Amino acid sequence: MLYTIPDYYRQFQCTADRCEDTCCAGWQIVIDNKSLHKYRKVRGKFGRRLRRSIHWRGKTFRQDKEKRCAFLEPDNLCSMYTELGAKGLCRTCRLYPRHVEEFEGVREITLSVSCPEVARILLGKEEPVCFLTYEKEGEEEYEDYNPFLYSKLADGQKEILGILQNRKIELKERIELVLSLAEDMERYVEKDKLFSCDEVFEKYREKCVCAEISETVDRKFCRNPRKVFRKLYTMEFLREDWEPHLRETEDILYGSGRESYKKTQEEFAEWLEIHMPRWQVQCEQLLVYFIATYFCGAVYDGKIYAKARMSVVSVFLIYEMLVARWCKNERQLDFEDVVEIVYRYSREVEHSDKNLELLERIEY
Ligand code: SF4
């Protein structure tokens, strides 16, 4: 089995009770069968607590009114961990914030930016992210799986990451190239020209050299940014404070009309260039993160373009939230604001299959 991990993977360490948030609230944690079996056998006082704190039929941990896990102590430490040790955790808790995409013979492991500490590592990284591979014993075969498509998608992902990390080209142009490449690739795959995708890759390698790019993403987004933003209301809300946050952001950004929106955007872009030029790199790292996490998933549904577009839409929405935060902060923004906006966005959108599906459908 081949495993891939980003080069910052081993840098991560959970900050536990020092974490400004917690991963043990807001989400329904599904317990795997092996852990359920183990929990049934725990004896004594903690065993009794365990039995009371699990929805055995739904296979989830019970939560309090604030949606905090029944095992989460007021100091944000997990009593399951303190009582039973790391081995006592269920698979979901053991893995988080690791995210695993499974393919035949391949496991792509990323770290989810819904964890503030991961967001901090990724957004603080200056050099382009590299992906490392290693092999471990174990193979399995999947039914209805197209290994040829996966292999081409992996090639396409590599090309896309190469474009996104080509810092000689303006970021907006890199984004435009990536979207066009994904669109072309999907067209080829639909026409059963999978093995001709190399022509597409070659075409974009040449485009990168002469930077022959037709239309910037910026122009596309500006057609109706509010409409794109409002799609977030159609999603499932995982935390109570998310909807008020969206309403406030919408009001700040779009509440005073188109002209005011445009003016704020221009002023923010100018401010960003002077005071936070690192945003360009952070934006690249986020795009790389979304592509690395989701692109090859197109092997299961063929939606190659949607995977690239959802990565761009996510970064666009994060950017809009940054603009609103900057306005709210009286035209100030710092690294921790960016970290907070990124991890909160990811928590709401990336941890719900329904939300991910909706995100893939957002047109702009
Ligand atoms: S969100 Fe991340 S840093 Fe915070 S408790 Fe969970 S794993 Fe640890």
Side-chain angles (χ1 to χ4, degrees):
M1 178 87 63
L2 197 69
Y3 288 79
T4 68
I5 49 170
D7 58 0
Y8 53 87
Y9 185 80
R10 297 194 201 287
Q11 244 175 287
F12 169 74
Q13 214 166 10
C14 172
T15 55
D17 57 332
R18 284 181 292 111
C19 180
E20 65 265 58
D21 209 310
T22 171
C23 44
C24 311
W27 297 323
Q28 277 286 348
I29 296 170
V30 178
I31 313 166
D32 57 292
N33 289 334
K34 208 171 151 194
S35 302
L36 274 179
H37 187 66
K38 198 166 50 190
Y39 296 153
R40 275 186 211 279
K41 292 188 176 163
V42 178
R43 300 276 163 252
K45 202 172 155 204
F46 191 68
R48 288 198 293 282
R49 181 172 167 196
L50 255 171
R51 277 177 281 286
R52 277 199 316 272
S53 309
I54 289 173
H55 283 291
W56 293 94
R57 235 188 242 166
K59 299 183 181 178
T60 55
F61 292 119
R62 290 187 189 277
Q63 295 176 320
D64 67 11
K65 273 191 275 162
E66 282 154 2
K67 290 195 176 176
R68 286 168 65 89
C69 172
F71 295 97
L72 186 62
E73 300 296 344
D75 57 5
N76 276 355
L77 284 176
C78 165
S79 53
M80 185 78 86
Y81 189 92
T82 42
E83 291 284 336
L84 304 179
K87 286 195 180 139
L89 300 179
C90 70
R91 188 173 189 270
T92 312
C93 298
R94 220 172 29 240
L95 277 182
Y96 185 83
R98 292 152 198 93
H99 172 92
V100 187
E101 286 286 320
E102 302 191 356
F103 306 103
E104 192 178 87
V106 180
R107 294 288 179 276
E108 293 183 354
I109 309 175
T110 46
L111 291 173
S112 173
V113 289
S114 57
C115 160
E117 193 52 21
V118 174
R120 212 165 272 124
I121 294 171
L122 182 72
L123 296 166
K125 190 170 164 60
E126 182 62 42
E127 317 77 42
V129 175
C130 297
F131 291 87
L132 316 170
T133 53
Y134 62 95
E135 274 200 63
K136 250 175 136 178
E137 282 204 7
E139 278 298 336
E140 78 251 275
E141 282 192 11
Y142 281 37
E143 278 176 26
D144 296 328
Y145 182 84
N146 183 343
F148 302 111
L149 176 57
Y150 173 76
S151 157
K152 235 1 120 193
L153 285 168
D155 291 346
Q157 186 187 53
K158 214 166 147 195
E159 294 293 333
I160 287 177
L161 295 181
I163 295 172
L164 287 175
Q165 294 180 327
N166 185 343
R167 295 184 183 174
K168 290 185 195 141
I169 305 176
E170 282 281 313
L171 190 60
K172 281 177 186 168
E173 294 177 344
R174 286 182 245 165
I175 293 172
E176 180 60 23
L177 285 168
V178 164
L179 290 173
S180 307
L181 185 154
E183 210 168 11
D184 283 359
M185 194 178 166
E186 185 169 305
R187 224 174 283 133
Y188 269 58
V189 172
E190 277 174 1
K191 286 183 191 160
D192 271 336
K193 287 164 67 182
L194 184 60
F195 294 100
S196 305
C197 283
D198 292 343
E199 292 167 17
V200 176
F201 304 152
E202 188 54 41
K203 181 173 122 190
Y204 283 88
R205 261 176 245 145
E206 281 168 19
K207 276 188 181 236
C208 274
V209 175
C210 52
E212 182 199 299
I213 302 138
S214 52
E215 189 188 14
T216 68
V217 168
D218 191 35
R219 264 178 264 159
K220 280 186 181 174
F221 275 135
C222 285
R223 280 184 206 151
N224 202 339
R226 188 172 196 166
K227 196 171 153 204
V228 175
F229 185 87
R230 289 186 66 85
K231 295 282 179 195
L232 289 169
Y233 297 120
T234 61
M235 294 185 179
E236 162 186 31
F237 298 132
L238 302 187
R239 286 199 168 184
E240 275 176 14
D241 59 356
W242 186 242
E243 194 185 355
H245 166 70
L246 293 182
R247 301 246 172 244
E248 184 188 41
T249 305
E250 186 189 359
D251 190 45
I252 294 175
L253 287 174
Y254 316 110
S256 307
R258 273 185 166 266
E259 277 314 303
S260 160
Y261 170 80
K262 226 176 122 201
K263 193 165 169 268
T264 309
Q265 289 283 336
E266 282 165 10
E267 287 169 359
F268 179 67
E270 246 174 63
W271 183 91
L272 207 55
E273 215 177 308
I274 299 166
H275 300 279
M276 272 182 96
R278 289 217 47 210
W279 167 248
Q280 293 285 313
V281 173
Q282 291 168 338
C283 190
E284 171 197 306
Q285 307 291 32
L286 285 170
L287 287 161
V288 166
Y289 162 80
F290 284 113
I291 291 289
T293 307
Y294 298 108
F295 189 75
C296 289
V299 71
Y300 298 114
D301 60 14
K303 293 178 186 164
I304 300 172
Y305 177 60
K307 301 282 182 291
R309 189 179 58 191
M310 61 115 76
S311 310
V312 176
V313 167
S314 285
V315 175
F316 165 75
L317 290 167
I318 288 169
Y319 183 86
E320 291 291 86
M321 289 176 197
L322 287 177
V323 181
R325 175 66 63 90
W326 175 75
C327 294
K328 195 179 164 188
N329 284 359
E330 296 174 352
R331 304 194 162 214
Q332 287 303 323
L333 203 63
D334 62 23
F335 180 69
E336 288 302 320
D337 286 313
V338 186
V339 168
E340 189 203 316
I341 284 166
V342 167
Y343 92 75
R344 286 183 66 191
Y345 172 85
S346 166
R347 264 174 194 226
E348 287 293 323
V349 175
E350 287 193 87
H351 290 273
S352 151
D353 290 339
K354 185 183 164 215
N355 291 352
L356 281 171
E357 274 171 33
L358 280 164
L359 183 67
E360 279 195 15
R361 292 207 295 271
I362 297 183
E363 307 258 359
Y364 54 85

